[in-house]
Amino acid sequence: DNDDNTGDKRLLIGQPISSKATVSIQMQRDWQCAQRLHRFILGLDYTSLDEKSLIETTVVQSIPDTFINYEKYLQTFEPLLQLECRAQIIQAKEENEGRMTYFKGIVQTVSMVDDFHEVVFNFGDDSVHRTFSEQDLIVGHPVHPHPAQKQLSETMGLVILTASRQKGFEVTVRFYVKGTPTRTTKEADPNLQFLTRLKQSWKFAK
């Protein structure tokens, strides 16, 4: 505040009370937005993604010239960002159909971080590092122990860490299981159902 000759109090623009607090709030908001976006993308059913599903989820709304607060801004643009992400995934899926090269990874560890499953896969061959990088969105499926059996459905994952180890190239992949159990039985828990799909090995492509 600043006193002038009239005794009025005036706000000094550009001089926040605590710049550290402002940065901290913004970082928290950014982190929360990123987490929500990860949940949205990884919660999509990759198998059913197509142009028809894109049309059915099209967002039609007017965009105001100004926003009264951060929440209103988020409510307007977050659905549009989600729609754009869905459209880009569908485009990549169509362009790469039948042309993707899969790499086999062996499950090393499984952990729960917030409400995500984070799984470390070892690909053995260190040259795989030229294929997978951090922040890559990849698709994969468990390797069935009997090759003649039908391939299990594809699941999307986000690469959050890559590392060259003595025993081969390791990739940490984040998964998100959408939905909550409707009964108390283990069979109804989607997280447990996902864990049953974590066979010894998976195949991934991007």
Side-chain angles (χ1 to χ4, degrees), residues 115-169:
D115 50 353
F116 297 98
H117 294 282
E118 293 191 356
V119 186
V120 177
F121 294 90
N122 187 286
F123 288 85
D125 186 357
D126 196 53
S127 65
V128 176
H129 78 273
R130 292 192 292 268
T131 300
F132 298 127
S133 303
E134 294 177 14
Q135 300 304 312
D136 277 348
L137 185 64
I138 61 178
V139 293
H141 58 268
V143 176
H144 202 289
H146 304 291
Q149 296 290 331
K150 182 180 179 181
Q151 173 184 307
L152 297 173
S153 61
E154 300 269 279
T155 300
M156 285 191 291
L158 180 69
V159 176
I160 61 171
L161 184 66
T162 62
S164 293
R165 307 293 186 192
Q166 186 174 5
K167 57 183 179 180
F169 188 66

Side-chain angles (χ1 to χ4, degrees), residues 53-68:
S53 69
L54 182 63
I55 295 173
E56 292 173 349
T57 56
T58 298
V59 178
V60 180
Q61 63 176 338
S62 59
I63 299 177
D65 295 328
T66 60
F67 300 89
I68 61 175

Side-chain angles (χ1 to χ4, degrees), residues 26-132:
Q26 186 59 50
M27 290 177 64
Q28 180 70 11
R29 285 175 172 173
D30 291 346
W31 180 83
Q32 292 173 344
C33 288
Q35 294 290 86
R36 282 200 302 273
L37 185 60
H38 288 180
R39 292 188 190 96
F40 170 77
I41 293 174
L42 300 179
L44 293 172
D45 181 1
Y46 182 79
T47 305
S48 64
L49 285 176
D50 54 23
E51 290 291 342
K52 181 180 178 181
S53 69
L54 182 63
I55 295 173
E56 292 173 349
T57 56
T58 298
V59 178
V60 180
Q61 63 176 338
S62 59
I63 299 177
D65 295 328
T66 60
F67 300 89
I68 61 175
N69 54 38
Y70 173 81
E71 286 69 28
K72 291 295 183 182
Y73 176 87
L74 193 64
Q75 290 173 11
T76 300
F77 282 100
E78 191 169 49
L80 298 175
L81 175 61
Q82 293 175 349
L83 185 65
E84 176 63 22
C85 289
R86 182 191 289 263
Q88 289 190 19
I89 293 171
I90 292 173
Q91 181 180 0
K93 179 181 178 182
E94 293 176 347
E95 291 176 351
N96 294 314
E97 187 172 2
R99 298 191 300 171
M100 292 194 297
T101 300
Y102 286 83
F103 298 87
K104 184 178 178 180
I106 308 298
V107 175
Q108 302 296 299
T109 63
V110 181
S111 58
M112 199 78 180
V113 179
D114 296 325
D115 50 353
F116 297 98
H117 294 282
E118 293 191 356
V119 186
V120 177
F121 294 90
N122 187 286
F123 288 85
D125 186 357
D126 196 53
S127 65
V128 176
H129 78 273
R130 292 192 292 268
T131 300
F132 298 127

